[in-house]
Amino acid sequence: MKTSDASDDIAADGPAVPGPEAVADRSPRRHQARTKFGDRLFILLSRGSASLVVVVLGGVLVTLALGALPAFREFGPAFVWADRWSPAKDIFSAAAPIYGTLVTSAIAMVIAVPLSFGIAIFLTELCPAPLRRPIGVAIELLAGIPSIIYGLWGFFVLAPLMQSFVQPALIGTLGNLPGIGLLFRGAPYGVGMLTAGVVLAIMALPFITAVTRDVFATVPAMLRESAYGVGMTTWEVVRYIVIPYCRIGLVGGIMLGLGRALGETMAVTFVIGNSHRIAASLMAPATTISASIANEFTEATTPLYTASLIALGLILSAITFIVLGLAKWMIQRSKLH
Amino acid sequence: MSRLSRRRWTSRIAMILSMAATLFGLVILAAILWTLLSRGVAALSPNLFVLDTPPPGVAGGLANALYGSAVMTLLALAIAAPLGVMAGTALAEFSGRSRIAAAAGFLNDVLLSAPSIVIGLFVYTAMVVPMGHFSAWAGAMSLVVIALPVIVRTTQDMLQLVPGTLREAAMALGTPRWRAVVSVVWRAASNGLITGILLAYARVAGETAPLLFTALSNQYWTSDMNAPMASLPVVIFQFAMSPYDDWQRLAWAGALIITLTILVINIGARALGTSKHS
C-alpha cells in the first residue's frame, strides 16, 4: 500500500514537461488533475476486481456454512464420524464419503508419486534436449484433458481391464497374505476404490511432475557438477544431491497433487461404484464426498438431505484448503533458498 | 561383483525405471486419445450439429448442447477476462510488497484450487435457490468463478515478467500511470495475457460438476438464459451412463469434440506463450 501511494504522488506531480494531451487542452494544471483522476479510477477499478476474488472466496465459505447448518444442528458434530446414510429415514452422516475420499486419494498418491518423480528425473537428467520439450508438453496435456473424459475412459476402458486382469491377479497374490490381504479380498467388480485411485493417479501425475521439474531446476548446477566430478552415478546424484536439496518443494508438489485428487468429481463419479459402505477391500464399490454430491444433489428430496450434502461440500473444502495451503507454503519456502 | 559395477547397475536400473515411467505417461495419453478417436469418429455426422438431443431410439444430435456450451463458456469468459486482468494488474502493478496484496494473491490460489463441485454448490445456494429455478445464468456464473482465479494468476505472473525499465521509461515521458499500464505494460505482456485467457477457456470448456445443479440440462433447444440449458459435458455425463446404444454413441462423439477443442486451445496457448513478441 505504502509504495503505491508514494508512486501515485510521483505520477501526479512528476511531469514537468506537459505530455501531448496537455498541449492539446493547453492547461498543464487541468492535465494534471485529469491524470490524477484517471489514475485513481484505474487503480480503484483494479483493486476492486482483486477484492472481488476475496469476496467470492468468502462467499463460498459463508454460503456453504449457512447451507450446512441444518445438518449439523440435527446430527451434531457426530455428522463427521458417524457411519449412517439412509435417505429413506432422513438420517445422514459423512464417515463413508470421507473414508472413500481419503482412501482413493491415498491410492492415487502411492501410484502417482513414484511415476511423477520418474518422469521428472527422466526429463531433467536423461532426456536428449530435442525431445525434452515435446515429451514435457505431452505430459502436461494430460492435465488439459477434462475430468469427464477420464471418467468415460475409466468406466469403459480401464474398469473392464481391472476387472478381468489386475484385480483377479491381486486377489490371487496379495489377497492370500495375512493382514494386508484384507485389502485385496472379495469379488473383482471393476469399479471401486482401486480403479478410482488409478484414474486419480493419472490425473494428479502431470501436476506433481510439473512441480517436481520446477524444483529440480532450482538445484544449482555447481552442486550437480561437483557431485558428478567426485564420481557419483546419475542415480546417486539424484538420490543424494537433488532430492535432499528440494525436499520441501517435493512434498509441496505431492500435496498439490493430493489437493487435486481430493476434490476431483466427475472422473471418480463414473468409476467409484456409489455405495455408502465402508468396506475393508480396496476393490469394493464405495463413494467419495464429491461423487455423493454429484450423484445425489438433484435427487435430494428433503431439506435435511440437501443440507447434509452441502455439509459434505463444506468438509471437502476444509480438507482441500488445508492441504493446498500447506502445499503452497512449502513450495514457496523451497524456492526461497 | 565389484562395488563400482554394483553402483553402476543400480543407477542403470533406476534410469530404466524413470524411462518406463515416462513411457507409461505417454502411453496413457495415447490410449485415451485412441479410445476417443476410435469410438468418436464413428459417431461423427453432420446431424450432430443440426439436430437436438433425442429421446432414446430417435435420430438426433448435440446442437442444443453445443450451443449451450458455447453461450455459457463465452459469457463466463466475457465477464471473467476483464475482471481477472484488472485484478491481476492490481496485484502485480499497484501493490508493491504490501501484505494485503500478498494475502489476496494467496486467497486467489485457494479459490483457484477449490473443487469445482463446491463452486457448483455455492452458485446453487447463492443464485439458484433465491431465483427459484435452474438457469443458464447460474451456469455461466459458476464458470466465471472457475475462470476468474486462473486469469488473475496468469496475468499477475505475466506482468511481473515485464521489465521495470519499460515502466520507468513511460513514467519519464510524463505518462499517467493508467496509460503506462494499458499501452506499455499490457502491450508488452499481451501474448501472455491472451495465453492466460485461452487456458481459462480450456479449463471451463470441459467443466461438468459445477453445471450439474446450476444450468442443469435441457432436452430441447433454448436461447432463454433464464431457463435450464444443455451443455456438452453434462449431456456426455447423462448419455454415457445411460443403457441406450445411440445415446452412448452421441456421448463419445461429444467427448471427441470437446477433447480435441481443448487440446487445440491448449497447444495454441502454449505456442503463443513461448513465441517471441511480435
Side-chain angles (χ1 to χ4, degrees):
Chain A
M1 285 297 180
K2 244 181 222 157
T3 42
S4 69
D5 286 344
S7 31
D8 277 355
D9 293 340
I10 296 172
D13 307 330
V17 185
E21 286 137 307
V23 178
D25 75 4
R26 288 171 196 289
S27 145
R29 193 166 283 279
R30 259 177 68 193
H31 165 68
Q32 264 186 21
R34 259 181 34 198
T35 299
K36 203 162 185 175
F37 175 73
D39 280 352
R40 287 243 168 97
L41 186 69
F42 191 78
I43 293 177
L44 191 74
L45 279 178
S46 62
R47 284 203 180 134
S49 310
S51 22
L52 191 70
V53 172
V54 180
V55 170
V56 168
L57 182 64
V60 170
L61 292 175
V62 169
T63 44
L64 286 186
L66 287 179
L69 207 57
F72 283 112
R73 216 177 255 160
E74 175 75 22
F75 304 112
F79 179 81
V80 178
W81 60 78
D83 175 26
R84 295 184 65 188
W85 190 270
S86 165
K89 293 185 197 150
D90 224 15
I91 295 174
F92 308 96
S93 56
I98 291 179
Y99 176 79
T101 302
L102 296 180
V103 172
T104 50
S105 299
I107 298 172
M109 289 304 108
V110 167
I111 300 171
V113 169
L115 282 176
S116 310
F117 279 21
I119 296 174
I121 292 171
F122 176 78
L123 286 175
T124 50
E125 306 289 329
L126 289 182
C127 189
L131 284 180
R132 200 167 283 173
R133 208 178 130 67
I135 294 182
V137 169
I139 298 293
E140 281 170 29
L141 281 185
L142 277 175
I145 295 176
S147 63
I148 183 143
I149 304 298
Y150 281 105
L152 274 179
W153 185 78
F155 185 74
F156 288 101
V157 179
L158 186 64
L161 284 178
M162 296 289 285
Q163 184 170 24
S164 35
F165 299 108
V166 180
Q167 293 183 343
L170 287 174
I171 294 168
T173 53
L174 294 175
N176 297 327
L177 300 174
I180 196 179
L182 284 177
L183 296 176
F184 299 99
R185 279 183 200 155
Y189 291 98
V191 295
M193 289 192 285
L194 186 63
T195 308
V198 173
V199 173
L200 286 176
I202 298 170
M203 298 182 72
L205 185 129
F207 290 96
I208 306 179
T209 306
V211 178
T212 309
R213 282 179 69 189
D214 278 356
V215 293
F216 276 5
T218 62
V219 177
M222 185 116 83
L223 266 185
R224 216 183 279 251
E225 282 161 16
S226 329
Y228 280 117
V230 297
M232 280 181 146
T233 62
T234 315
W235 166 245
E236 284 163 350
V237 173
V238 172
R239 170 73 186 77
Y240 297 107
I241 307 293
V242 176
I243 290 181
Y245 186 86
C246 20
R247 215 173 31 238
I248 304 173
L250 293 178
V251 177
I254 295 171
M255 305 272 276
L256 198 70
L258 180 62
R260 288 272 146 194
L262 287 168
E264 180 44 51
T265 309
M266 298 319 294
V268 176
T269 307
F270 272 91
V271 294
I272 189 72
N274 302 313
S275 143
H276 277 273
R277 275 186 49 223
I278 296 182
S281 173
L282 297 182
M283 281 162 244
T287 191
T288 67
I289 296 179
S290 49
S292 300
I293 303 173
N295 269 314
E296 300 175 38
F297 197 76
T298 44
E299 294 161 14
T301 38
T302 65
L304 196 57
Y305 198 168
T306 307
S308 303
L309 289 170
I310 296 179
L312 283 183
L314 185 66
I315 295 171
L316 178 64
S317 323
I319 301 176
T320 43
F321 289 170
I322 292 170
V323 169
L324 287 158
L326 281 176
K328 272 271 142 198
W329 181 69
M330 285 172 153
I331 295 172
Q332 208 74 49
R333 238 182 69 178
S334 85
K335 279 188 179 160
L336 283 183
H337 68 215
Chain B
M1 209 193 299
S2 80
R3 199 182 152 88
L4 180 63
S5 69
R6 202 168 62 230
R7 286 173 50 209
R8 281 201 179 134
W9 272 106
T10 316
S11 181
R12 221 166 280 165
I13 290 168
M15 292 309 123
I16 288 171
L17 286 179
S18 84
M19 236 181 272
T22 313
L23 209 60
F24 176 82
L26 296 178
V27 165
I28 293 283
L29 180 67
I32 293 174
L33 293 181
W34 171 247
T35 309
L36 284 173
L37 282 173
S38 61
R39 300 203 188 192
V41 170
L44 283 181
S45 78
N47 271 349
L48 281 182
F49 305 95
V50 184
L51 298 177
D52 287 349
T53 45
V58 180
L62 297 166
N64 54 337
L66 288 166
Y67 171 79
S69 269
V71 167
M72 285 191 281
T73 50
L74 290 178
L75 181 66
L77 216 58
I79 298 172
L83 284 174
V85 170
M86 286 303 272
T89 307
L91 297 183
E93 299 288 319
F94 302 133
S95 308
R97 293 173 170 277
S98 99
R99 286 214 173 152
I100 300 177
F106 178 78
L107 292 179
N108 181 67
D109 286 349
V110 172
L111 187 62
L112 179 64
S113 38
S116 56
I117 189 108
V118 168
I119 305 295
L121 282 179
F122 162 61
V123 175
Y124 175 84
T125 23
M127 227 175 135
V128 175
V129 172
M131 285 170 77
H133 54 83
F134 300 100
S135 68
W137 283 119
M141 275 310 143
S142 64
L143 295 182
V144 169
V145 176
I146 289 172
L148 183 63
V150 180
I151 301 178
V152 174
R153 166 64 37 232
T154 44
T155 303
Q156 190 189 351
D157 289 350
M158 292 300 160
L159 294 187
Q160 274 163 354
L161 292 180
V162 176
T165 44
L166 270 184
R167 293 182 186 89
E168 286 162 15
M171 296 296 215
L173 291 174
T175 325
R177 283 192 89 195
W178 69 269
R179 199 71 223 234
V181 169
V182 174
S183 332
V184 178
V185 181
W186 279 2
R187 206 153 147 195
S190 61
N191 275 355
L193 299 187
I194 295 170
T195 303
I197 295 170
L198 283 177
L199 287 178
Y201 184 80
R203 170 91 197 270
V204 295
E207 280 294 349
T208 317
L211 295 176
L212 284 177
F213 25 82
T214 52
L216 205 66
S217 191
N218 195 331
Q219 201 189 326
Y220 305 103
W221 178 286
T222 178
S223 50
D224 179 5
M225 293 297 286
N226 275 314
M229 194 181 263
S231 62
L232 207 42
V234 176
V235 167
I236 295 173
F237 180 50
Q238 282 175 344
F239 281 19
M241 296 297 249
S242 78
Y244 311 111
D245 251 9
D246 45 346
W247 273 20
Q248 288 194 3
R249 264 203 308 281
L250 280 177
W252 284 108
L256 178 65
I257 295 173
I258 220 171
T259 311
L260 287 187
T261 314
I262 289 175
L263 290 188
V264 166
I265 293 175
N266 253 307
I267 294 171
R270 252 162 245 279
L272 194 65
T274 50
S275 71
K276 293 274 171 231
H277 299 298
S278 47

